[in-house]
Amino acid sequence: MVERSATKTKILATALELFNNEGESSISSVDIASVMGISPGNLYYHYKGKDEIIVQLFADFEEEIRLVLSAPINAPLSIEDNWVYLYIIFEEIFDFRFFYRNQAELIWRIPELQTKFANILALKERTAYSLLTKLHKDGHLTFDEGEKKALSGRIAQHFTFWLQYHDLRFGTAPPKSLIDQGVFMTLVQITPYWKEGKGYAHLLAEFAEDKV
């Protein structure tokens, strides 16, 4: 994480909270300054407008999500840790949820974000592939040719569009319920490839009973 002054840190934290809770499109740099109790000129001295703030927030998000997504690529997880790990991914996405609820508009307005979003999506797919490969090698999952790669893509898409889908389909929900549902729907996609006996199907049943 880049070292920042206390004022810059507070600007970013305030902006993130406002963007997440009120919607990025409804918040201006003047609104951020007003909530902080500083002048728009003071804010402009640190960040030259809202888009520059967004770019810096994305840099923070990118650093954090890359650390999370790289974990199973660098060190395979045990089967028991998989659903906990998925929960961490969804928590990280939720912490920067305004990026996921307004992707198309942000990319149109700030073109440099397109490649960054695309790179994170590719990393999500590699992460999903690593998780599935470990389970496959351990004899828990079975795939026909091409199915593992296709499932990795579907899971990466689910990570990326889960919030938009949920908002359109069900409306707002408490954070914990929203994250639980994201994890549950990921597990649902994996269980059809599980071999007979206990495993993800068993974990899914327990998760559904305890969490959803």
Side-chain angles (χ1 to χ4, degrees), residues 109-203:
R109 201 171 78 228
I110 312 173
E112 68 185 271
L113 294 183
Q114 181 168 359
T115 299
K116 296 177 182 294
F117 268 120
N119 289 340
I120 290 175
L121 179 58
L123 180 57
K124 288 173 184 171
E125 191 164 341
R126 292 198 300 274
T127 298
Y129 193 85
S130 293
L131 291 172
L132 297 175
T133 296
K134 175 66 163 61
L135 293 167
H136 189 194
K137 286 182 177 179
D138 289 347
H140 300 301
L141 298 178
T142 180
F143 295 105
D144 291 335
E145 184 67 28
E147 284 184 331
K148 183 165 59 174
K149 185 175 181 180
L151 180 57
S152 301
R154 290 203 304 274
I155 291 172
Q157 290 174 50
H158 174 57
F159 289 157
T160 303
F161 298 107
W162 145 73
L163 279 172
Q164 291 183 41
Y165 169 80
H166 195 283
D167 289 349
L168 287 170
R169 181 70 177 83
F170 304 108
T172 57
K176 186 177 183 304
S177 173
L178 193 59
I179 293 169
D180 284 347
Q181 187 67 18
V183 175
F184 178 77
M185 293 305 292
T186 309
L187 296 175
V188 163
Q189 294 184 63
I190 297 172
T191 50
Y193 300 93
W194 200 267
K195 292 185 177 179
E196 290 185 7
K198 288 188 175 183
Y200 256 37
H202 179 66
L203 290 175

Side-chain angles (χ1 to χ4, degrees), residues 2 9 30 34-35 37 42 47 62 66-67 73 75 84 90 96 99 103 106 119 123 148 154 160 163 212:
V2 177
T9 299
V30 174
S34 177
V35 169
N42 191 355
Y47 291 110
E62 185 175 26
R66 282 187 175 279
L67 285 173
I73 297 174
V84 177
F90 281 101
F96 290 87
F99 284 123
Q103 286 179 56
L106 286 172
N119 289 340
L123 180 57
K148 183 165 59 174
R154 290 203 304 274
T160 303
L163 279 172
V212 179

Side-chain angles (χ1 to χ4, degrees), residues 18 21-22 33 35-36 46 58 95-96 101 107 133 139 150 170:
L18 288 171
N21 295 332
E22 306 295 333
V35 169
M36 290 183 64
H46 295 283
F58 194 91
D95 286 346
F96 290 87
R101 284 178 162 145
I107 288 172
T133 296
F170 304 108

